[in-house]
Amino acid sequence: MTEKLENWFAQMPVIAILRGVCPGEVVDIGEALHQAGIGIIEVPLNSPDPITSIKNLVEAMGDRCVIGAGTVLTEADVVGVAGAGGEIAISPNTNPAVIERSLEAGLVPMPGWATATEAFAAYQCGARYLKCFPAATYGPGHIAGLSAVLPKSCKLLAVGGVGADVANQWLQAGVDGFGIGSELYKPGDSAEQVYQSARAVVDAINAVRAK
């Protein structure tokens, strides 16, 4: 699984956050994202029936994409995501018990952090994908400062108020990837709308990375 995740990060380092998605539409939305070039998909657990959505995505796309959950707050959440076939457990905070349970369950934890203390605590618990959240309120300079001291074996993600239009600033600061939500999907969007939005994000990030 880690190899699949790393391959997608190398190809297009974007986690699509489908907050509010429903089980009946999630596969069409996921296919639109994949067709546009995004292959890491997060269903936040505060969406309608998120475990069913994750199961549906895993059954339809698990061989091609990395599927998992966001807003993973408890060990029980981890168990539910693992049971649905999810592969990543993304949290807004650093909770050692959630990180450790994720690793035990074979999931890749992506805990949220804001301070150096939280980032190092998450790393020491075994997390290697560290999510600065909410990134926009801290800014690229925050990442630049911390990336100088954090172990090179971790990947830094910027999530929260970060979109393709400012990707250049964050990549220059040392970010390895992004979590993008409403720029890709808002409840009520059709699969075609999501495809067009995702294409715009992929094209913008590819243009930045090509410089």
Side-chain angles (χ1 to χ4, degrees), residues 9 21 40 45 48 56 60 81 83 86 119 149 151 157 177 190 205-206:
F9 257 90
V21 74
I40 310 173
L45 292 183
N56 290 350
V81 174
V149 296
L157 315 177
S190 68
I205 290 179
N206 278 334

Side-chain angles (χ1 to χ4, degrees), residues 75 78 95-107 109 121-122 124-127:
E75 292 180 73
V78 173
N95 182 329
V98 168
I99 295 170
E100 290 161 6
R101 191 57 179 267
S102 297
L103 292 168
E104 289 170 2
L107 303 179
Q124 287 160 4
C125 287

Side-chain angles (χ1 to χ4, degrees), residues 126-200:
R128 294 297 179 264
Y129 289 81
L130 307 181
K131 161 188 162 181
C132 180
F133 179 81
T137 57
Y138 291 93
H142 190 62
I143 290 276
L146 274 164
S147 64
V149 296
L150 285 168
K152 299 304 179 188
S153 56
C154 68
K155 286 185 167 59
L156 298 178
L157 315 177
V159 184
V162 177
D165 58 329
V166 291
N168 188 47
Q169 301 170 33
W170 291 93
L171 290 168
Q172 288 180 348
V175 156
D176 297 288
F178 304 91
I180 299 180
S182 57
E183 189 175 348
L184 289 171
Y185 169 82
K186 295 182 291 294
D189 284 356
S190 68
E192 177 60 25
Q193 287 173 301
V194 171
Y195 172 78
Q196 296 299 336
S197 298
R199 265 300 351 150

Side-chain angles (χ1 to χ4, degrees), residues 21-95:
V21 74
C22 295
E25 64 178 340
V26 73
V27 172
D28 287 343
I29 299 296
E31 292 287 2
L33 290 166
H34 181 260
Q35 187 180 358
I38 295 173
I40 310 173
I41 303 173
E42 164 194 339
V43 178
L45 292 183
N46 55 359
S47 302
D49 197 2
I51 295 301
T52 299
S53 287
I54 293 168
K55 284 181 180 176
N56 290 350
L57 282 172
V58 169
E59 289 173 4
M61 308 177 63
D63 58 332
R64 293 170 283 146
C65 296
V66 177
I67 311 298
T71 321
V72 178
L73 302 176
T74 67
E75 292 180 73
D77 288 343
V78 173
V79 172
V81 174
E87 298 174 299
I88 53 177
I90 305 173
S91 304
N93 61 325
T94 292
N95 182 329

